[in-house]
Amino acid sequence: MKPHLIVLDLDGTLLTDEKVISEKTANTLKQAEEQGHQIMIATGRPYRASAMYYRQLGLKTPIVNFNGAFVHHPTDRSWKTIHETISLPVVKDVVDAMQDFRLQNIVAEVMDDVYLQYHDTKLLDIFGLGNPIIKEGDIRTMLEVDPTSLLIQAEPDSVDPIRRHLAEVHAEVIDHRNWGAPFDVIEIVRHGLNKAVGISHVSKWLDIPRERIIAFGDEDNDLEMIDFAGVGVAMGNGIDRLKSIADEVTLTNNEDGIAEVLKERLLLIK
């Protein structure tokens, strides 16, 4: 069988609800790699919060972070790193506009530096993974460089109005999407970026065509990736919109859905 590129989202997909990779799924991925297939991660997380899983799987491929805004190869310097940022004036305009909406916090990330508008212990537990430099205060005055991403933690009833505002005012310069539970978070990246864009760079580098890409996801930020892949697979716990465009729906992230598909698609030993 010709080599395939297996693309894995992390939260709600590769990881169980306990944020671990099950032994069955890990063993299946190892078997696929031994048979010549390539495995990569594509996540909304920064690299510092996904590196442990990259190392656990012993991957040798580039990784897509920040939903396509940052693509790099942790172990091969011949790969040309891709880092697309949001213009600082645009960020300040967005933060200014957010004063008219009900929200809880605003977070900007510049690679491994994190800027929080307001102190929040729960958010610090999430963004503190990988020991980044964390600063708190008005993002409009603290930020001095273009950030990789901007996150708006909104009150539930403000999510749709904020997204409408972003679509009406900033559609040409930024893209935005929702995080899944438990946080009502709107993530903003530079316009034209998504996981599929990052994966396309990697597939060309590996010389694996689109039709031999198998991608797994569960959320709003996986839509382009699932549509782009030759075989787009939605997890059983995924959102309905993703399932509606997927080529296949598998078991949940807690039921080794990835392993089930790969054993069937790649003729692995069950």
Side-chain angles (χ1 to χ4, degrees):
M1 182 179 289
K2 291 183 178 180
H4 284 62
L5 176 59
I6 301 163
V7 186
L8 309 167
D9 168 53
L10 287 179
D11 299 285
T13 302
L14 175 64
L15 306 182
T16 68
D17 290 348
E18 286 72 41
K19 303 301 180 184
V20 299
I21 304 171
S22 75
E23 183 177 357
K24 180 178 179 180
T25 292
N27 289 339
T28 302
L29 290 168
K30 183 178 179 180
Q31 187 181 356
E33 189 175 48
E34 289 172 349
Q35 293 193 10
H37 303 295
Q38 300 279 355
I39 300 163
M40 69 173 289
I41 290 170
T43 177
R45 292 186 181 210
Y47 180 65
R48 67 175 186 276
S50 48
M52 66 284 280
Y53 305 114
Y54 185 96
R55 291 193 292 265
Q56 180 182 347
L57 294 175
L59 300 184
K60 306 174 185 66
T61 50
I63 179 171
V64 174
N65 292 108
F66 291 108
N67 290 317
F70 181 51
V71 188
H72 84 295
H73 198 310
T75 61
D76 188 341
R77 293 187 178 181
S78 69
W79 168 269
K80 186 177 180 181
T81 296
I82 299 167
H83 184 211
E84 303 283 359
T85 57
I86 311 169
S87 169
L88 197 53
V90 171
V91 171
K92 292 182 177 180
D93 284 347
V94 170
V95 176
D96 281 339
M98 290 306 103
Q99 310 312 309
D100 296 330
F101 298 94
R102 296 178 64 244
L103 51 84
Q104 297 180 28
N105 219 328
I106 303 174
V107 182
E109 293 191 84
V110 182
M111 297 294 283
D112 287 328
D113 293 346
V114 178
Y115 297 80
L116 273 75
Q117 188 87 350
Y118 311 110
H119 178 80
D120 188 311
T121 303
K122 289 183 179 179
L123 283 183
L124 286 172
D125 287 341
I126 295 175
F127 291 98
L129 284 172
N131 297 315
I133 296 173
I134 299 177
K135 299 179 181 179
E136 298 178 0
D138 192 330
I139 287 173
R140 292 168 292 184
T141 57
M142 287 196 305
L143 266 182
E144 297 180 349
V145 296
D146 296 347
T148 311
S149 71
L150 185 69
L151 304 167
I152 299 168
Q153 184 186 13
E155 295 291 349
D157 60 358
S158 293
V159 172
D160 288 341
I162 289 174
R163 292 196 71 177
R164 281 196 297 269
H165 167 82
L166 295 175
E168 291 169 1
V169 180
H170 299 291
E172 295 183 359
V173 289
I174 60 173
D175 287 340
H176 50 93
R177 63 194 76 241
N178 287 359
W179 275 17
F183 295 102
D184 289 296
V185 170
I186 301 164
E187 180 172 16
I188 299 170
V189 294
R190 184 171 172 172
H191 177 64
L193 297 180
N194 54 63
K195 291 182 181 182
V197 173
I199 294 164
S200 67
H201 290 296
V202 178
S203 66
K204 290 174 185 174
W205 187 70
L206 293 171
D207 196 25
I208 295 177
R210 184 173 173 179
E211 59 266 24
R212 294 209 306 271
I213 297 175
I214 305 175
F216 297 85
D218 71 309
E219 268 293 346
D220 187 47
N221 63 341
D222 298 313
L223 288 164
E224 295 90 351
M225 174 178 78
I226 295 303
D227 186 54
F228 173 79
V231 179
V233 183
M235 305 302 291
N237 51 287
I239 60 173
D240 290 340
R241 187 179 172 197
L242 191 73
K243 291 177 180 178
S244 71
I245 67 167
D247 298 296
E248 185 174 341
V249 178
T250 187
L251 300 175
T252 71
N253 61 318
N254 294 320
E255 299 171 315
D256 296 300
I258 290 172
E260 293 302 311
V261 171
L262 294 181
K263 285 178 179 179
E264 179 180 347
R265 290 275 180 177
L266 303 180
L267 307 178
L268 303 178
I269 299 171
K270 296 184 178 181

